[in-house]
Amino acid sequence: MNIALSIGHHPKAQGSDSADGLFTEYSFWKEHLPELARELEALGHTATVVNRSDAGGRTPSYAAAACNETWADLAIEFHFNASESKHASGTETFYWYTSARGKIAAEMVQQAMVDVLHLRDRGIKSVARPAENAYEFFHRTRMPAILVEPAFAGSNMADCNRLRDNIAPLCKALARALDDFSN
Ligand SMILES: [Zn+2]
């Protein structure tokens, strides 16, 4: 399978800062997605780390355009959550409401993240309306697509530590889940 691994946000608009102030959504995934790509390649897949800035803009439509250029079979956008409340916690995954393959990928990836991080399982969530999370990303990607929010690392220190301290097992578990999805 050919998989696009899209870094959330943009070098000049990096999304949320982590609760410990040490990284941003953009810097975290820019650093760690090459590790996930290597895990996928070790299982015989093709994985491309995608940066929406290469498509020329900051919004989710540019992330979709950058993913489309890879001709991938599946596109994944990587983020982490933040909330006004520092107690909000957990893992969630988004998919496009009409995509059966996207929903299956979301279920498998969500389970893999929950199994590694052991945070609250907030479930998978469909995106159908323009006001919803990353609508333009889902609307414009030509392949099944999902968006992951593994933890509230932007506002909850425990979630932040859990994500940062488990990135290696998380990459391995995501690669295995995507390998299962391809079969
Ligand atoms: Zn984000």
Side-chain angles (χ1 to χ4, degrees):
M1 187 167 61
N2 179 9
I3 306 157
L5 306 173
S6 179
I7 304 166
H9 303 279
H10 186 276
K12 291 185 175 148
Q14 299 204 358
S16 298
D17 291 314
S18 60
D20 62 9
L22 295 178
F23 53 90
T24 64
E25 289 182 85
Y26 179 84
S27 75
F28 186 79
W29 293 117
K30 186 171 193 328
E31 179 180 353
H32 294 297
L33 286 183
E35 192 176 334
L36 175 54
R38 283 193 296 276
E39 296 287 353
L40 284 163
E41 283 159 7
L43 294 171
H45 301 287
T46 302
T48 307
V49 177
V50 167
N51 195 327
R52 68 176 74 170
S53 64
D54 294 338
R58 299 185 184 194
T59 63
S61 340
Y62 289 97
C67 288
N68 288 342
E69 282 173 22
T70 70
W71 297 95
D73 305 300
L74 176 71
I76 312 177
E77 260 271 298
F78 289 83
H79 291 256
F80 57 73
N81 248 326
S83 166
E84 301 275 296
S85 160
K86 63 177 193 275
H87 302 295
S89 174
T91 302
E92 58 194 21
T93 301
F94 294 81
Y95 66 96
W96 184 241
Y97 72 116
T98 57
S99 175
R101 288 288 286 163
K103 185 176 185 184
I104 292 167
E107 283 168 347
M108 296 177 81
V109 162
Q110 171 73 6
Q111 192 59 53
M113 294 193 296
V114 167
D115 287 348
V116 169
L117 298 175
H118 301 291
L119 294 170
R120 187 180 149 210
D121 185 353
R122 303 173 69 97
I124 64 167
K125 299 181 176 179
S126 66
V127 173
R129 289 184 295 276
E132 291 176 319
N133 195 5
Y135 172 86
E136 288 294 334
F137 171 71
F138 289 107
H139 186 53
R140 292 175 187 273
T141 38
R142 283 196 297 257
M143 65 288 280
I146 63 174
L147 183 152
V148 299
E149 303 269 14
F152 277 74
S155 49
N156 180 320
M157 192 62 81
D159 276 40
C160 177
N161 292 338
R162 197 71 64 85
L163 178 62
R164 193 198 53 223
D165 294 346
N166 289 285
I167 189 64
L170 185 65
C171 287
K172 282 194 193 309
L174 287 171
R176 277 194 305 269
L178 293 167
D179 186 51
D180 289 345
F181 170 73
S182 75
N183 292 324

